[in-house]
Each structure stands twice: as C-alpha cells, then as structure tokens.
Amino acid sequence: MEWVETTGRTVEEALEIALDQLGVDEADAEYEVLEEPKTGLFGRMRNEARVRARVRPSTPRQKEERRSRGRKATKAPAPAVERKKTKKEPEVTEVEPSSGEDVPLAEQGEVAAAFVRGVLERFGAPGSEVSTHELDEDTLEVRVEGGDLGLLIGQKGATLQSLQELTRTVVQRQTGARTGRILVDVSGYRARRKEALERFAQKIAEDVLASQERVVLEPMSPADRKVIHDTVNSIDGVVTSSEGEEPRRRVVVFPN
C-alpha cells in the first residue's frame, strides 16, 4: 500500500489531511511523524508538521506459521456475561485468538461473516445471503444481499457504518488480528453511494467554477470525504481541503 505525505500547522492537522486522502479512520492507518512544526521569532511558523501515512497493511505469514496455526473455527456460545437467551439470539462463531497479529484475511472473513449472519437473525432476515470477497491483499468485504434490509443501512449509511465498526471489533477480539481491513456492504449501498457522491461533487465543482466562491459541505465520514476530494481534484480550476474535527469534519471546495 502506497504512502501519502502531508503537512499541516500541527501533527494532528497533517494526520487528518492524510486520513482524508486515504479515506480511512486512524484505526485503519499507520503513520510516522517526519517533522515536528517549528516556530520562529514572534511565534511565526518556520516549518509545518510533516507526516506520512498509509492504510494499515496485512503481513502474510510464513508457511511454517500457517501450518502451525491452521485451526478451524469452532462454534461456541457467544456471551461472556450471563444473561437470558431469547429465541432469536444468534450463535456466534468463536475463534481461538492467534498468538500474532498476522491472522489470514480469509480467517478474519469467516468470523466477520458469522457475526453479520447473527445480526441478520436478530433483525428477522435470516434468509439473506452473506458472502465474503477479497478486494485486495489487505481488504476483505462482507456483502449482504436480500430484501427489506434498509434498517441495516440507515440514514446516509449511518447504521451500516456502525455495523462495520462492530464487525471489525468482533474480528479483532476473537482472532487477535491487527492487520487487514474488513468492510461491510448491504444491498450494494456503498457502490451506489459512491456514484451519487461523485455526481454531487461534480455539480458542486461546477457551481464553484461559475460563482468563484468557496462551498462548505456537510460533515462526512472519511470514506465519503475521500470520494469528494478525488472527484473535485480531478477537475481543473477547483481544489479541496478539509476543516473541523471528527465527527464534524467537512470538505471545503474553492476555486484554484
């Protein structure tokens, strides 16, 4: 995965810009500070902070390690705290944590898919199809297809984002994995969202070119901001930046 290098008035600002470019949260990235900000006389900025970051990579294991860790997932009751079980409560696949962080992406996918199936059971949609797809060597997507799944998406994908974060947490706790990215999509929502954002960004860019005035967009997730940045910055005459703090961080489009 390629590194991006960014600057800012503070290390935090430079890192936020880098995360915007990568389209990920800080938990899914690794970074290093190349240069601390420096001030001169009267508090004037001499040098900005400089960082480089990339999406957290997944490190393949050696063959010997794979053979020694080649255990299959076993089914076991999920709750760690005693509580009354209801009829609709799902069984969750428990996986014995590995001793290292380089858990195979396929193994993480098994745990992720089992958790999502359990959520579907609770939502009353057990007939939905759950599948896993490796997008690249570091990223796996759990896809859910079925009818009437709007509740799992929520307004502007908020529920889907929460489901994705919960799925990642379950995978990390059950496998001990700290590498690889797990994404969750329901009924192709993410692809449709990306296309809609690209059209929206193009329209905003046209408005900025016509008015020569900057436009501040509503707060967005890092992934959505990346789509806006990529689309607008491919158009001559307009550029973007980000301002604010999470979760109220937003994109600003202005004439170049």
Side-chain angles (χ1 to χ4, degrees):
M1 197 67 66
E2 294 185 0
W3 293 86
V4 299
E5 191 171 309
T6 56
T7 60
R9 289 170 296 180
T10 64
V11 171
E12 292 75 16
E13 181 179 286
L15 177 59
E16 285 287 354
I17 294 172
L19 295 176
D20 277 356
Q21 291 185 18
L22 295 171
V24 298
D25 295 312
E26 186 174 345
D28 295 321
E30 62 178 19
Y31 69 95
E32 60 180 298
V33 178
L34 301 178
E35 190 172 357
E36 296 280 354
K38 296 178 183 177
T39 55
L41 292 175
F42 310 112
R44 288 189 175 185
M45 180 70 68
R46 289 178 52 196
N47 291 312
E48 291 188 317
R50 189 161 56 94
V51 305
R52 71 169 189 160
R54 66 176 178 177
V55 175
R56 189 182 297 278
S58 173
T59 307
R61 292 183 298 177
Q62 298 297 324
K63 290 182 180 179
E64 290 299 324
E65 292 178 334
R66 290 178 183 168
R67 283 197 289 268
S68 65
R69 294 184 194 166
R71 299 182 182 176
K72 301 219 171 186
T74 57
K75 292 218 167 186
V81 179
E82 290 187 5
R83 54 191 174 92
K84 201 167 183 180
K85 193 172 181 179
T86 63
K87 287 185 179 179
K88 288 188 177 180
E89 180 129 7
E91 293 291 334
V92 179
T93 302
E94 293 281 359
V95 176
E96 183 179 343
S98 299
S99 58
E101 297 181 350
D102 50 344
V103 180
L105 203 56
E107 183 178 323
Q108 296 181 48
E110 291 177 5
V111 176
F115 173 73
V116 171
R117 290 189 185 99
V119 172
L120 291 169
E121 290 281 349
R122 295 295 299 272
F123 267 78
S128 301
E129 181 182 345
V130 179
S131 57
T132 59
H133 304 266
E134 290 193 14
L135 304 184
D136 56 48
E137 63 180 6
D138 301 312
T139 310
L140 181 141
E141 184 175 71
V142 180
R143 296 177 187 170
V144 182
E145 296 291 342
D148 195 23
L149 295 173
L151 283 175
L152 279 177
I153 297 174
Q155 186 176 15
K156 296 181 181 178
T159 306
L160 176 57
Q161 184 66 27
S162 297
L163 174 61
Q164 179 171 279
E165 293 305 317
L166 283 172
T167 303
R168 289 175 173 178
T169 299
V170 169
V171 169
Q172 290 175 357
R173 288 182 177 177
Q174 291 195 20
T175 69
R178 291 296 181 271
T179 58
R181 294 178 66 213
I182 301 295
L183 305 177
V184 180
D185 194 13
V186 175
S187 299
Y189 171 81
R190 293 192 184 280
R192 296 196 306 273
R193 172 75 171 169
K194 182 174 184 291
E195 292 174 359
L197 284 171
E198 288 172 342
R199 291 194 298 269
F200 171 71
Q202 290 170 355
K203 176 64 168 59
I204 293 298
E206 292 170 2
D207 291 345
V208 171
L209 284 171
S211 67
Q212 289 297 296
E213 295 181 355
R214 77 175 199 157
V215 172
V216 181
L217 305 183
E218 64 182 16
M220 296 180 182
S221 68
D224 285 355
R225 291 199 303 268
K226 175 173 171 54
V227 176
I228 299 294
H229 285 307
D230 290 347
T231 303
V232 172
N233 289 321
S234 68
I235 301 172
D236 291 335
V238 284
V239 292
T240 61
S241 67
S242 290
E243 62 180 32
E245 302 294 332
E246 298 289 1
R248 304 291 298 172
R249 192 161 174 79
R250 60 188 73 209
V251 177
V252 182
V253 184
F254 51 93
N256 185 6

